[in-house]
């Protein structure tokens, strides 16, 4: 799906998504990615069932206010022990389908909120 968004200069925004990809600005990314307002990185897990505590703990380095986890077409919740480091740091984790993540990320970053998007496709 293509997203219509307002142009925000010097900031990553999702411009589309599909079953196995997301588009950030004009660049398309396959697989699992970590996205901030200024960076895009491949995210380590091979899929949802491969998520570990370290995958979530590593995100603390970005000092986010909130973390969005997109899990494809359907919402899948990771076990709370996997993101206990986030809870201990008082950082919220919102789990949603990837389309909702893209829309939510665009709104939050345009409001200058410090958000990290984590996308796992399977």
């Amino acid at each position: 799906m293509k997203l219509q968004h307002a142009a925000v200069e010097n900031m990553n925004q999702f411009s589309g998504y599909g079953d196995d990809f997301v588009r950030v600005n004009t660049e398309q990314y396959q697989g699992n990615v970590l996205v901030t307002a200024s960076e895009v990185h491949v995210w380590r897990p091979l899929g949802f069932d491969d998520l570990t505590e370290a995958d979530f703990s590593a995100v603390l380095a970005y000092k986010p206010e909130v973390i969005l986890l997109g899990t494809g077409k359907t919402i899948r919740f990771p076990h709370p022990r996997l993101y206990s480091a986030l809870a201990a740091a008082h950082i919220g984790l919102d789990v949603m389908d990837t389309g909702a993540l893209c829309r939510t990320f665009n709104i939050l970053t345009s409001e200058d909120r410090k958000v990290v998007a984590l996308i796992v496709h399977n």
Side-chain angles (χ1 to χ4, degrees):
M1 172 172 277
K2 183 177 178 181
L3 296 176
Q4 189 71 16
H5 70 286
V8 180
E9 289 187 36
N10 303 317
M11 185 180 300
N12 286 331
Q13 294 278 276
F14 287 98
S15 57
Y17 64 92
D19 290 342
D20 63 350
F21 77 92
V22 292
R23 191 172 306 109
V24 179
N25 301 328
T26 60
E27 187 78 27
Q28 187 162 304
Y29 297 89
Q30 301 290 128
N32 306 325
V33 293
L34 178 154
V35 182
T36 71
S38 60
E39 301 175 43
V40 180
H41 301 283
V42 171
W43 193 38
R44 188 219 59 90
L46 299 174
F48 183 85
D49 294 328
D50 191 43
L51 289 169
T52 66
E53 291 177 48
D55 295 321
F56 289 102
S57 295
V59 181
L60 291 171
Y62 293 93
K63 299 182 179 166
E65 295 174 51
V66 66
I67 296 171
L68 307 176
L69 176 64
T71 58
K73 284 184 177 182
T74 58
I75 300 172
R76 296 180 67 189
F77 293 91
H79 193 284
R81 73 173 158 71
L82 296 178
Y83 56 89
S84 62
L86 304 179
H90 304 287
I91 297 170
L93 175 70
D94 288 329
V95 181
M96 55 192 70
D97 65 71
T98 299
L101 174 142
C102 293
R103 294 183 297 275
T104 303
F105 179 91
N106 287 354
I107 291 167
L108 292 175
T109 55
S110 70
E111 293 174 349
D112 205 25
R113 303 289 303 272
K114 203 151 183 191
V115 59
V116 172
L118 305 172
I119 299 163
V120 61
H121 284 289
N122 58 22

